[in-house]
Amino acid sequence: MRAIIYSCPLMKLRVGLGFDSHPFEKGKPLKLGGILIDFPMGLKGHSDGDALLHAVADALLGAVGEPDIGELFPDTDPRWKDVDSVLFLKEALRRVREKGYRLLNLDCVILADQPKIAPYKDSIRKSLSELLELPVECISVKGKRREGFCQEEGLACLCTLLLVHEG
Ligand SMILES: [Zn+2]
């Protein structure tokens, strides 16, 4: 039975789940998925507050059993103050590749009453495609409003992704 399980090709697959949320902060640029969004508030956080990149980095790390970005890049460390979150994503991707895995697809949800995500969806997908070196067809970004639940005080991002072992 054990041999059958380990010879199954599905054992080469790993799923990752990411979640992140930040409150808004006036006067800070809003970054999501590595691009600037035209909005009067950014996301409060030790880094640039890019909640989407944080969620994707955590999903990558989680899929291969690595510590999350909160452990790798603690907000008590001044080195990560106002840092571009691309750095977190690149480190997560490096660890995934080091373990022999390749990203197959990424599906994201941005939960926000404001700003409207629809006008930025294609730019965010393109940015993620370049950062992750993954075809844009393998990336989905959806904006969802919370319809009155915890509205207007910040935003949250969720994502799931699939990895395959190249070996
Ligand atoms: Zn975050």
Side-chain angles (χ1 to χ4, degrees):
M1 189 62 188
R2 203 175 168 83
I4 292 168
I5 291 169
Y6 282 104
S7 64
C8 172
L10 289 177
M11 291 303 289
K12 287 174 175 276
L13 298 176
R14 292 283 188 98
V15 67
L17 173 67
F19 172 80
D20 196 38
S21 64
H22 286 253
F24 287 130
E25 180 181 304
K26 280 202 176 95
K28 189 175 178 180
L30 177 59
K31 278 178 86 178
L32 280 176
I35 68 158
L36 281 169
I37 310 278
D38 185 19
F39 193 60
M41 293 183 283
L43 292 172
K44 190 174 181 170
H46 193 60
S47 65
D48 64 3
D50 191 327
L52 183 55
L53 291 192
H54 296 177
V56 176
D58 269 351
L60 286 166
L61 292 164
V64 293
E66 290 285 310
D68 68 20
I69 57 168
E71 287 179 69
L72 294 177
F73 306 100
D75 60 9
T76 49
D77 189 333
R79 277 183 299 168
W80 317 126
K81 175 125 179 69
D82 298 326
V83 77
D84 187 338
S85 296
V86 166
L87 185 143
F88 305 157
L89 188 77
K90 290 290 180 186
E91 175 58 16
L93 201 56
R94 189 191 69 74
R95 288 178 184 235
V96 161
R97 287 174 174 163
E98 193 177 62
K99 291 197 167 180
Y101 285 90
R102 180 169 61 88
L103 182 56
L104 288 177
N105 80 303
L106 168 67
D107 194 3
C108 310
V109 177
I110 301 169
L111 268 167
D113 294 314
Q114 55 165 345
K116 281 195 168 56
I117 300 303
Y120 296 99
K121 264 172 26 178
D122 288 344
S123 313
I124 293 173
R125 285 175 77 209
K126 188 165 174 285
S127 169
L128 289 172
S129 167
E130 285 165 8
L131 291 170
L132 296 164
E133 297 167 42
L134 182 69
V136 79
E137 300 77 25
C138 302
I139 300 172
S140 162
V141 174
K142 298 176 284 286
K144 292 282 174 188
R145 290 166 55 165
R146 288 171 292 186
E147 309 294 350
F149 171 70
C150 295
Q151 55 185 319
E152 294 184 6
E153 62 205 22
L155 61 76
C157 298
L158 298 113
C159 73
T160 183
L161 52 79
L162 194 63
L163 308 180
V164 63
H165 199 273
E166 303 257 52

